[in-house]
């Protein structure tokens, strides 16, 4: 990561740590490029589904399109259903769609949303670079777009971005490895392998960049050794964040570098689906002690692995909190105002910086998961058995 960007993201991280989750004090963004007009409001199509709430003029009301990437990963189901419930509660009609991680499907879902009278779009993209053309139609109709969790690149139709602080996710994973291996004091050297996410997901570069800003100095000093020699982003990326892809890459790394009993001390995994692949691979191919394995999302399967001593930590991003923040942003925009943001420097999508709201992620491990996940009502005890 470039130095200048690093200092900006660090400053952002510091600001973000001063906030409590998403509930902190915010600054207001500059007015969105495109705001709702009465004309587009009157284009609203009649309600499509009986079960969704009708527009309520006392709360603003209107139809909101919510495009999610896939149902395959637990988190997106939670993101979608939390947002749908909270938007309905706030008086909006919701068109919620999942695209099976298929880009053309997501494009046509968004097209349908635009043509069926959605007045605002909330989009978690599959591939940040593939929505420029369809979003031109949104821009022509003055439909504001909130990029949800993943930034939509190279499109000036994006009005706002709402996410967790992605760079901070990476630094927390790196710090965890640093502390667990006691890198500043222990003699080492320690063996580590690196696994990150989809190259088409802008977040993956922030996760990996944040973690490597912590770990790289120890690699340079020889205290951490990447035996596979695989360290650059493109090589350690995992297409579609797929568990199977991470697993087969790890299989190959183990057989080439650790089959002779060489100890593997840590695996940086940018999220839980990749951590699951790594864990599966180690379970099948590696006989040594479990290395430190990081993750992100606190998916149920991974929390169970944490409890079983296989995965060491995960990053908890409370989707209820992000959903509430996005509902607040939607409501502000739909009422003709500006959405709350707390970052106007970090996320340039190629057309300029997108005003963003960054929520604060926290790390979860076997010592604090009960408080974070069960006491907060995110999961029940039974979910984790
Ligand atoms: C999200 C992660 C998620 C990953 C795979 C990223 O954009 O921020 O929470 O694990 O996508 O779906």
């Amino acid at each position: 990561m470039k130095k200048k960007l690093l200092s900006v993201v660090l400053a952002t991280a510091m600001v973000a740590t001063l906030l409590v989750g998403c509930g902190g004090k915010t600054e207001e963004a500059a007015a969105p490029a495109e705001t709702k007009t009465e004309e587009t409001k009157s284009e609203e199509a009649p309600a499509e589904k009986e079960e969704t709430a009708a527009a309520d003029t006392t709360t603003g009301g209107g139809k909101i399109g919510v495009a999610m990437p896939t149902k395959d990963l637990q988190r997106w189901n939670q993101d979608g259903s939390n947002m749908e419930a909270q938007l309905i509660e706030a008086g909006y009609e919701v068109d919620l769609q999942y695209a099976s991680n298929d880009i053309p499907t997501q494009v046509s879902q968004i097209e349908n949303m635009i043509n069926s009278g959605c007045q605002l779009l909330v989009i978690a993209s599959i591939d940040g670079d593939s929505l420029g053309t369809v979003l031109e139609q949104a821009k022509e109709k003055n439909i504001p777009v909130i990029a949800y969790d993943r930034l939509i690149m190279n499109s000036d139709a994006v009005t706002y971005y709402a996410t967790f602080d992605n760079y901070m996710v990476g630094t927390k994973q790196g710090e965890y490895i640093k502390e667990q291996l006691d890198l500043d004091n222990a003699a080492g050297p320690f063996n580590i392998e690196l696994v990150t996410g989809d190259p088409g997901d802008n977040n993956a570069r922030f996760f990996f960049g944040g973690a490597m800003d912590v770990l790289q100095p120890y690699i340079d000093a020889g205290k951490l050794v990447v035996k596979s020699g695989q360290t650059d982003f493109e090589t350690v990326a995992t297409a579609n964040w797929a568990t199977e892809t991470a697993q087969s890459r790890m299989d190959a790394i183990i057989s080439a570098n650790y089959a002779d009993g060489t100890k593997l001390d840590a695996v940086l995994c940018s999220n839980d689906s990749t951590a699951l692949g790594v864990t599966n691979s180690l379970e099948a191919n590696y006989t040594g002690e479990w290395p430190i394995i990081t993750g992100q999302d606190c998916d149920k399967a991974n929390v169970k692995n944490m409890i079983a001593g296989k995965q060491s930590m995960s990053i908890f991003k409370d989707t209820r909190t992000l959903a509430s923040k996005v509902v607040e942003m939607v409501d502000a925009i739909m009422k003709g105002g500006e959405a709350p943001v707390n970052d106007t420097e970090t996320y340039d999508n190629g057309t300029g910086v997108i005003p963003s709201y960054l929520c604060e992620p926290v790390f979860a491990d076997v010592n604090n998961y009960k408080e974070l996940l069960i006491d907060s009502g995110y999961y029940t005890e039974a979910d984790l058995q």
Side-chain angles (χ1 to χ4, degrees), residues 69-70 73 75-76 79 101 124-126 148-151 161 163-164 166 169 197-198 201-204 207 240-242 270-274 295-297 299 315 317 319:
T70 173
L73 224 70
R75 76 151 290 186
W76 301 115
D79 284 277
N101 258 340
S125 57
I126 296 167
Y148 184 90
D149 195 81
R150 297 172 171 172
L151 188 56
Y161 180 36
T163 188
F164 281 86
N166 297 307
V169 168
D198 189 280
D201 180 352
N202 189 54
N203 288 357
F207 301 146
N240 272 331
W241 295 91
S270 288
N271 87 330
D272 279 354
S273 58
T274 54
Q296 163 181 204
D297 294 335
D299 283 347
I315 299 288
K317 304 197 297 190
T319 54

Side-chain angles (χ1 to χ4, degrees), residues 95-111:
D95 181 0
L96 168 64
Q97 302 290 339
Y98 291 86
S100 308
N101 258 340
D102 182 55
I103 297 168
T105 303
Q106 187 165 60
V107 169
S108 78
Q109 287 174 340
I110 293 171
E111 209 155 18

Side-chain angles (χ1 to χ4, degrees), residues 263-286:
K263 185 162 184 253
L264 176 59
D265 298 288
V267 187
L268 169 77
C269 294
S270 288
N271 87 330
D272 279 354
S273 58
T274 54
L276 202 58
V278 166
T279 308
N280 292 344
S281 171
L282 290 171
E283 204 140 45
N285 303 301
Y286 179 77

Side-chain angles (χ1 to χ4, degrees), residues 44-45 47 52-63 90-93 119 334:
E44 188 192 339
T52 53
D56 174 353
T57 46
T58 58
T59 59
K63 186 172 167 189
Y92 294 95
E93 186 189 342
Q119 294 169 303
M334 291 294 282

Side-chain angles (χ1 to χ4, degrees), residues 87-333:
L87 281 168
I88 289 173
E89 173 80 27
Y92 294 95
E93 186 189 342
V94 182
D95 181 0
L96 168 64
Q97 302 290 339
Y98 291 86
S100 308
N101 258 340
D102 182 55
I103 297 168
T105 303
Q106 187 165 60
V107 169
S108 78
Q109 287 174 340
I110 293 171
E111 209 155 18
N112 287 339
M113 288 172 182
I114 294 169
N115 293 329
S116 70
C118 286
Q119 294 169 303
L120 187 151
L121 302 176
V122 178
I123 302 172
S125 57
I126 296 167
D127 180 306
D129 268 306
S130 305
L131 299 179
T133 311
V134 67
L135 290 186
E136 275 170 27
Q137 298 171 35
K139 200 180 172 204
E140 273 162 27
K141 290 195 168 186
N142 290 338
I143 298 174
V145 175
I146 300 178
Y148 184 90
D149 195 81
R150 297 172 171 172
L151 188 56
I152 298 166
M153 306 302 288
N154 302 314
S155 165
D156 64 358
V158 181
T159 324
Y160 290 103
Y161 180 36
T163 188
F164 281 86
D165 187 328
N166 297 307
Y167 181 81
M168 196 191 285
V169 168
T171 56
K172 285 190 183 231
Q173 292 168 333
E175 293 287 349
Y176 190 89
I177 291 175
K178 176 182 144 181
E179 277 158 29
Q180 295 298 310
L181 294 179
D182 195 15
L183 291 179
D184 285 333
N185 302 304
F190 299 101
N191 294 321
I192 186 169
E193 297 295 338
L194 312 169
V195 181
T196 193
D198 189 280
D201 180 352
N202 189 54
N203 288 357
R205 294 174 197 271
F206 278 85
F207 301 146
F208 189 64
M212 292 309 276
D213 282 348
V214 177
L215 300 174
Q216 190 66 49
Y218 299 98
I219 295 177
D220 293 343
K223 200 169 260 190
L224 281 178
V225 177
V226 185
K227 282 206 80 201
S228 67
Q230 298 176 12
T231 54
D232 68 286
F233 177 82
E234 299 297 336
T235 313
V236 305
T238 310
N240 272 331
W241 295 91
T243 297
E244 302 70 28
T245 310
Q247 184 168 345
S248 54
R249 183 169 156 254
M250 200 63 201
D251 287 348
I253 288 175
I254 292 171
S255 82
N257 303 282
Y258 301 94
D260 60 358
T262 301
K263 185 162 184 253
L264 176 59
D265 298 288
V267 187
L268 169 77
C269 294
S270 288
N271 87 330
D272 279 354
S273 58
T274 54
L276 202 58
V278 166
T279 308
N280 292 344
S281 171
L282 290 171
E283 204 140 45
N285 303 301
Y286 179 77
T287 48
E289 244 174 72
W290 282 100
I292 291 153
I293 300 175
T294 62
Q296 163 181 204
D297 294 335
C298 285
D299 283 347
K300 285 179 203 160
N302 298 73
V303 180
K304 287 181 192 171
N305 275 349
M306 238 157 57
I307 296 166
K310 298 174 185 174
Q311 183 171 326
S312 318
M313 64 87 84
S314 188
I315 299 288
F316 179 45
K317 304 197 297 190
D318 192 331
T319 54
R320 296 168 299 188
T321 321
L322 185 57
S324 312
K325 183 47 71 177
V326 171
V327 171
E328 217 183 291
M329 293 169 94
V330 168
D331 205 37
I333 301 167

Side-chain angles (χ1 to χ4, degrees), residues 1-58:
M1 187 164 293
K2 290 194 197 106
K3 275 238 166 62
K4 198 169 152 215
L5 174 59
L6 174 61
S7 61
V8 171
V9 283
L10 279 177
T12 309
M14 283 168 62
V15 170
T17 48
L18 296 175
L19 303 173
V20 184
C22 279
K25 213 169 149 246
T26 62
E27 53 179 271
E28 294 297 316
E34 306 290 347
T35 48
K36 276 242 45 53
T37 63
E38 285 310 312
E39 197 179 61
T40 51
K41 270 183 191 157
S42 66
E43 282 171 16
E44 188 192 339
E48 280 191 338
K49 291 188 229 156
E50 287 199 347
E51 68 270 23
T52 53
D56 174 353
T57 46
T58 58

